[in-house]
Amino acid sequence: MTSAGAATVAYCVENSFGDGPPAEPTWRQPGIDVSVGDLSVEEALERSRQPDDPTPQGSREGNWEGAASVSFTLTDTNWHDLVFADGGTALPNSVMQAPSSTWYLGVDLPDGSTEPRTPTGAIVTEATINYEQGSPVTVDLTLLYGFEPDDVAEPETIAQPSRTDAFEWHGASFDVNGMSQSLMQSASLSLAGLHRFRRGQDRHPFDAVTGAIEPSLSTDATFTERDQLALAVDDAGDTVGKVSGSLSFTNGQGTTIEYTLSGLQPNSYGWADLVNPDTDLHEPIDYHVADVEVA
């Protein structure tokens, strides 16, 4: 068992898929308040049997794949290099090589030793930016990786963000179809299907390319006007109209991160707490999004 302050979490961008750190790597901590979910490896074993024996003779190996999830408080845009394949600022409009990274995930044990895990050829398959009224803005990354070598050296230096770099809820603003959402309670911008492995005659992936990307936006705001309702119920004919939107976050240093959204279409819309003496009427909405860019 380990305690607080006994872990190291850092990544660097690879020059080529699975190559590991470049000659002079820039190791970065993705944010503050970092947590790492299940860091697991799947061998995809299949049992081998003989017809005259009820017990297996062993198992044969399948495709090798590692997985992890990383969450953190938003402090900068460096992690965009792992998500937006088009130069770290936009989703690609054609298939291209996916950005990959090496991670150093180390734990300090009570005997003074350090045990590292070093995923390489790591790709982000889903990224979600979360806003919650009263809490810092957070980011969730879902990772798959193709290799885990044992010869990646511990980073000599790690670029570590400061507490003052954190983006808080009180620096956030939201716009849908030109209408500011001033009483937003929660919102999540999700980019699913970002990247995928390609495989050949090897247990490990050959490379990684962009996937079938599915951006979406979920919001839950106090009901103040019927503009969002109109998007869901007022369309003439059998089409669901498209509008634009944006999410903007500013931290205490005056740094702003803005995401511009195009092609928003409400997939579901609801009223919640219509009759509740202790709560305002609010409207949870799930939008399909066509494209996302970093302003």
Side-chain angles (χ1 to χ4, degrees), residues 7-291:
T8 301
V9 179
Y11 73 91
C12 65
V13 178
E14 298 175 343
N15 288 333
S16 298
F17 175 76
D19 279 357
E24 297 182 1
T26 299
W27 290 97
R28 299 185 184 278
Q29 185 176 296
I32 63 172
D33 310 316
V34 182
S35 64
V36 178
D38 185 28
L39 179 59
S40 61
V41 168
E42 292 290 336
E43 299 279 3
L45 298 178
E46 294 186 6
R47 297 185 187 275
S48 299
R49 298 181 181 275
Q50 295 289 4
D52 60 350
D53 191 340
T55 61
Q57 286 197 322
S59 297
R60 57 184 180 272
E61 301 83 359
N63 284 332
W64 193 101
E65 186 170 283
S69 59
V70 180
S71 300
F72 51 91
T73 294
L74 178 65
T75 57
D76 53 62
T77 60
N78 292 312
W79 59 276
H80 284 178
D81 291 335
L82 309 179
V83 173
F84 295 94
D86 195 358
T89 60
L91 296 176
N93 54 21
S94 62
V95 175
M96 61 177 59
Q97 292 291 317
S100 64
S101 56
T102 293
W103 289 75
Y104 186 93
L105 307 170
V107 59
D108 298 332
L109 301 176
D111 63 3
S113 64
T114 298
E115 186 64 38
R117 300 281 301 275
T118 54
T120 65
I123 60 173
V124 176
T125 60
E126 183 170 358
T128 304
I129 304 161
N130 306 291
Y131 160 88
E132 188 80 26
Q133 200 285 326
S135 300
V137 181
T138 61
V139 177
D140 301 324
L141 301 180
T142 300
L143 303 172
L144 294 179
Y145 62 93
F147 313 90
E148 191 171 328
D150 60 3
D151 59 353
V152 176
E154 181 177 0
E156 296 183 4
T157 59
I158 297 174
Q160 192 174 61
S162 167
R163 178 191 63 81
T164 58
D165 295 326
F167 288 79
E168 301 285 351
W169 81 98
H170 46 76
S173 62
F174 305 88
D175 179 279
V176 176
N177 198 25
M179 178 65 68
S180 176
Q181 304 296 299
S182 57
L183 290 177
M184 187 69 71
Q185 302 305 299
S186 64
S188 293
L189 174 62
S190 176
L191 307 174
L194 285 167
H195 309 117
R196 61 180 176 86
F197 288 142
R198 296 196 300 178
R199 294 182 178 273
Q201 299 88 293
D202 197 304
R203 292 189 62 213
H204 296 269
F206 176 77
D207 65 2
V209 296
T210 52
I213 304 172
E214 295 184 349
S216 61
L217 174 68
S218 297
T219 64
D220 193 353
T222 299
F223 185 85
T224 56
E225 29 68 29
R226 75 179 314 274
D227 291 67
Q228 313 313 312
L229 173 60
L231 292 177
V233 303
D234 287 1
D235 285 304
D238 296 324
T239 62
V240 179
K242 298 179 181 180
V243 298
S244 60
S246 66
L247 286 71
S248 178
F249 307 105
T250 301
N251 66 7
Q253 308 278 20
T255 302
T256 297
I257 302 174
E258 182 176 354
Y259 302 94
T260 58
L261 317 179
S262 59
L264 274 73
Q265 295 174 281
N267 185 49
S268 65
Y269 176 95
W271 272 6
D273 293 315
L274 175 60
V275 181
N276 189 330
D278 298 321
T279 305
D280 294 318
L281 172 65
H282 56 107
E283 48 181 0
I285 313 171
D286 291 324
Y287 297 93
H288 281 192
V289 181
D291 199 8

